[in-house]
Amino acid sequence: MAADNEFPESVDVEMFPMLPEELFRENAEEFEATSPKRDPTMPRFSINIDNSLSPSHTLLQITFSNRKGIFYDCARALKDLNLRIAYGRLSTTEKGVGDLDLFILQANGNKLVDPDKQRCLLSRLRMDMCDPIRVIIVKKGPDIELLVATTVEKNGRARPRILHDITLALKMLDICIFKADSEKITYGDRLWEIYRFLLVEKSSMSLKSDRIRNHIVERIKCLLMGK
């Protein structure tokens, strides 16, 4: 399942040598298992590929903890890998457990039976559904910088409302922005959009405190992902 790497105009990540590597982590399974905010009563993310139940379609069975935008992340990953959804079923419980059954086809109308393509699909879905948005705060000399990274669709379309939600979260936290910008960059075979915010220190809230910075990161993630 070769991905088309011809992205819209962007710059290479090497032009931003100070970007932390954790923004581009690829082991979503490890992230999901070790996330400090993971509820131990919720099921772990799981995906199963089944070609035995339908003579003409591949069945994807996905179990997840429900959150804002999770079906968007799933559908976007399938679209970027040139897979089509024929039909499907989504169900969630009041406790936030979701089950998604999708009958999919390749662009040529065939089932997905190639083991390499299946592994590529599993890896991509796990990363995009478990860890689609990365948020960190770093020290940049005397300044404190908020970095938010998210992958971009192959056609260059960015994630909806992300800038609105970031600025809303900072407003709710009563944190002022001195400067903000964004840039699309390539890293590996993915296109990313990086949002940068220089934050203004306040005497009532020291952004040099690890506890305060961690609190800000978690609040922003909660608003972006609806958890």
Side-chain angles (χ1 to χ4, degrees):
M1 187 179 302
D4 183 357
N5 291 331
E6 295 183 0
F7 298 120
E9 184 177 351
S10 62
V11 295
D12 194 88
V13 72
E14 292 181 359
M15 296 179 64
F16 293 89
M18 300 304 292
L19 287 174
E21 284 293 318
E22 67 178 285
L23 276 178
F24 309 103
R25 59 179 172 261
E26 296 183 356
N27 193 342
E29 184 173 7
E30 178 181 342
F31 165 79
E32 195 239 357
T34 59
S35 173
K37 290 297 182 179
R38 182 182 178 274
D39 186 343
T41 66
M42 298 295 286
R44 291 188 182 277
F45 182 86
S46 66
I47 316 175
N48 180 57
I49 296 178
D50 193 323
N51 277 306
S52 65
L53 292 180
S54 170
S56 55
H57 300 87
T58 294
L59 172 62
L60 277 182
Q61 298 173 302
I62 307 174
T63 298
F64 55 89
S65 298
N66 196 20
R67 62 162 174 81
K68 180 171 69 175
I70 196 162
F71 184 71
Y72 164 82
D73 289 313
C74 176
R76 186 181 68 167
L78 294 174
K79 177 184 175 183
D80 281 354
L81 294 174
N82 296 316
L83 296 170
R84 296 188 288 112
I85 300 173
Y87 49 95
R89 179 181 63 189
L90 171 66
S91 63
T92 59
T93 69
E94 292 183 357
K95 294 183 178 180
V97 179
D99 288 298
L100 180 61
D101 296 331
L102 296 174
F103 288 86
I104 63 171
L105 293 169
Q106 297 186 80
N108 59 11
N110 294 334
K111 298 169 71 171
L112 185 67
V113 296
D114 184 279
D116 290 334
K117 292 182 178 180
Q118 290 183 359
R119 282 191 290 270
C120 177
L121 173 61
L122 292 175
S123 175
R124 179 65 173 270
L125 283 174
R126 184 173 293 278
M127 186 172 78
D128 283 13
M129 295 179 73
C130 289
D131 193 18
I133 304 173
R134 291 86 189 276
V135 183
I136 61 173
I137 295 179
V138 297
K139 294 180 180 178
K140 189 177 180 181
D143 300 317
I144 302 296
E145 186 174 55
L146 169 68
L147 297 173
V148 180
T150 182
T151 53
V152 177
E153 295 181 40
K154 284 169 58 176
N155 61 15
R157 188 174 301 158
R159 191 180 190 87
R161 289 178 56 87
I162 189 165
L163 182 59
H164 170 273
D165 287 346
I166 296 169
T167 53
L168 176 60
L170 291 173
K171 180 180 179 181
M172 293 168 62
L173 289 165
D174 195 27
I175 296 174
C176 295
I177 302 169
F178 175 72
K179 182 181 178 182
D181 61 23
S182 67
E183 189 70 68
K184 289 185 175 69
I185 67 170
T186 54
Y187 185 88
D189 63 349
R190 302 295 300 273
L191 180 64
W192 293 77
E193 185 148 42
I194 309 297
Y195 298 85
R196 298 169 174 265
F197 301 85
L198 284 182
L199 305 180
V200 178
E201 280 268 23
K202 284 189 174 184
S203 58
S204 59
M205 180 185 293
S206 174
L207 299 180
K208 294 182 175 64
S209 163
D210 289 340
R211 182 181 63 83
I212 294 297
R213 293 202 303 270
N214 290 338
H215 174 67
I216 294 169
V217 166
E218 290 304 325
R219 287 289 300 274
I220 291 173
K221 283 184 177 179
C222 285
L223 187 59
L224 288 173
M225 301 180 66
K227 291 187 175 181

